[in-house]
Amino acid sequence: MGLFLFIIFLLCDLFTGMLCKYAYRQNFHYQNGMLLGVHIPKEQAHCAQVEALCTRSRRNWNLYQNIQITIGSLLGLLGFFSPEWLVLIWIIWFLLYLAGMEGLMVMPLRRMYRLKQEQGWVRENSRRTVYIDTELSAMSGRMAPAAYWHLLFLVAETTAALYTYLRGQDRQAVSEVAALGIAAMAVTFLLWAMHRYLAEKRNVVYSQNSKVNMAVNGLVKRTWARGFLRVDGLNCASWLYLALRRAQAGGLCGGDWFVYALLQLVAAVAAILPWGNVLSKKRELLAADDQPVEVDDDEYWKNGWYENPQDPRLLVQNRLCDTNYTFNMARPAARWINAGITLLLVGSLGWVAWMMIERLWNI
């Protein structure tokens, strides 16, 4: 059990930390007319004050993420001694990690916005400009590989889970193994839904040149879609391996769990590795564009979130990540939904922490 807990927590914390670290790193580079999430003139991107703020923010971000990735990866060692202490300390670490990461994203943005205001870099003429690329819109849904491949993985996982459950003799042991099959199917369904959403979502207008827009959107969508398929294939392979080994040997040994964990680790790495190259290519494409679209709506993002009372939408596209959406916090419904999600997250983790405390108290 200790080895299994260590591997699971190691994989989850390593994957989460690396994803957070590299997903935000692109904001330290000047692209789409922005640095640290704030629009500034291109000729000011290398001025002393801007470079000092970016250098300091990048250094703090990398240092923080490296420390937290190390701590999160080592926490799994507690599983060899006490699962209760592992879960309890991990919950505290996770909440502190989220709070620190939020601060390191929001504070540099606010400092950059203040600097922009002080230097008078606001472009009033483009504050409410809306660009539409009809040729690009017609290409939505045709820039990524088909999502139906996930359904083939789902059929294989479901077949293996049913076979494992129906042919097993020890019902409790079989149920525990079959639960991993259910988890694999849940991951496949989630990846399928994300793939479908990605393929059908509206493309982002970066430039007044349709070819540039199609090149960048196609690059991003293809990379995400292929990443989803790679992760799902390895997720399926890890579960099928366990099912086949159990059918052959009548049980699972430590080596089987190691192979399962290794495949899951490879899936995590396969999802992250291509992104450094993709972000670099995206920056190159946008840097070479001589007709960029730059809408100076920083006033509505200056606090670190979107808040525009004149915008009736509840959800808007997150400009720091093309594939995400965020709430318009000027809408009361958005505030209630965010409060509910926060209470649900903290409450769920608090309930688990209380159960661990009770178990430790009774030992």
Side-chain angles (χ1 to χ4, degrees):
M1 176 61 75
L3 177 61
F4 182 70
L5 286 174
F6 169 71
I7 293 174
I8 291 298
F9 275 82
L10 171 66
L11 296 181
C12 291
D13 294 342
L14 187 62
F15 177 77
T16 302
M18 296 294 287
L19 190 61
C20 291
K21 178 181 178 179
Y22 289 103
Y24 185 74
R25 194 170 65 172
Q26 62 178 318
N27 296 299
F28 298 115
H29 301 277
Y30 188 80
Q31 59 179 5
N32 303 337
M34 291 191 294
L35 264 174
L36 298 178
V38 178
H39 288 91
I40 63 173
K42 187 174 183 179
E43 60 272 16
Q44 302 296 340
H46 297 290
C47 79
Q49 292 171 294
V50 171
E51 287 199 336
L53 177 55
C54 288
T55 299
R56 184 169 64 252
S57 301
R58 184 190 301 111
R59 182 178 62 248
N60 292 341
W61 177 261
N62 289 332
L63 178 62
Y64 180 79
Q65 291 293 348
N66 290 338
I67 292 174
Q68 296 302 328
I69 289 171
T70 302
I71 293 174
S73 300
L74 293 177
L75 279 178
L77 293 172
L78 291 172
F80 290 106
F81 306 99
S82 171
E84 293 81 8
W85 276 112
L86 168 60
V87 174
L88 182 60
I89 294 176
W90 183 89
I91 289 173
I92 298 172
W93 166 80
F94 182 66
L95 292 175
L96 292 174
Y97 174 52
L98 292 180
M101 190 161 52
E102 182 70 14
L104 287 173
M105 290 190 292
V106 171
M107 296 310 295
L109 183 150
R110 293 181 179 179
R111 293 190 185 103
M112 183 66 81
Y113 184 76
R114 285 198 299 269
L115 177 61
K116 172 181 177 176
Q117 295 290 98
E118 293 168 0
Q119 300 296 325
W121 294 338
V122 179
R123 293 190 291 265
E124 294 288 345
N125 61 336
S126 65
R127 181 171 292 186
R128 293 178 177 84
T129 304
V130 176
Y131 289 89
I132 298 174
D133 188 333
T134 54
E135 185 177 353
L136 178 69
S137 299
M139 292 296 294
S140 291
R142 288 183 281 174
M143 290 184 170
Y148 63 78
W149 291 104
H150 295 284
L151 300 181
L152 299 179
F153 295 138
L154 185 62
V155 170
E157 292 161 356
T158 304
T159 302
L162 289 173
Y163 180 83
T164 300
Y165 185 78
L166 295 175
R167 294 293 300 270
Q169 301 298 321
D170 184 344
R171 308 310 299 174
Q172 181 177 356
V174 169
S175 297
E176 292 175 355
V177 176
L180 292 175
I182 295 174
M185 288 184 280
V187 170
T188 293
F189 182 81
L190 176 63
L191 290 171
W192 170 79
M194 293 170 66
H195 193 144
R196 284 292 305 274
Y197 158 74
L198 170 78
E200 300 298 331
K201 73 179 288 291
R202 187 173 60 183
N203 290 315
V204 181
V205 178
Y206 297 97
S207 170
Q208 299 175 52
N209 186 332
S210 293
K211 292 182 178 179
V212 173
N213 290 327
M214 285 188 282
V216 176
N217 281 277
L219 173 68
V220 173
K221 284 192 172 186
R222 285 193 303 272
T223 302
W224 271 108
R226 290 169 182 170
F228 291 152
L229 288 171
R230 281 194 298 269
V231 172
D232 202 6
L234 289 164
N235 168 67
C236 178
S238 63
W239 159 239
L240 292 180
Y241 174 81
L242 286 186
L244 290 172
R245 284 293 298 157
R246 181 170 181 82
Q248 291 175 348
L252 298 172
C253 63
D256 295 325
W257 291 111
F258 176 79
V259 172
Y260 173 80
L262 181 62
L263 288 172
Q264 294 288 343
L265 176 61
V266 173
V269 173
I272 295 175
L273 279 182
W275 274 101
N277 188 40
V278 169
L279 294 176
S280 177
K281 289 182 178 179
K282 179 181 175 182
R283 284 196 299 269
E284 289 176 6
L285 288 170
L286 294 177
D289 178 33
D290 58 358
Q291 297 177 289
V293 166
E294 298 177 1
V295 179
D296 190 348
D297 57 350
D298 295 340
E299 176 185 352
Y300 308 124
W301 296 88
K302 62 184 178 182
N303 293 317
W305 54 81
Y306 185 73
E307 189 170 359
N308 182 2
Q310 283 75 47
D311 191 341
R313 295 175 296 172
L314 178 64
L315 286 171
V316 296
Q317 192 166 43
N318 190 326
R319 61 180 184 170
L320 297 183
C321 183
D322 301 339
T323 56
N324 288 348
Y325 280 79
T326 188
F327 287 101
N328 179 6
M329 296 305 292
R331 307 263 71 82
R335 294 194 289 270
W336 281 106
I337 292 172
N338 274 274
I341 293 173
T342 301
L343 288 174
L344 179 63
L345 173 64
V346 176
S348 300
L349 292 175
W351 176 64
V352 174
W354 178 251
M355 289 196 302
M356 296 300 103
I357 293 172
E358 282 190 325
R359 292 186 63 174
L360 288 169
W361 186 266
N362 295 325
I363 291 178

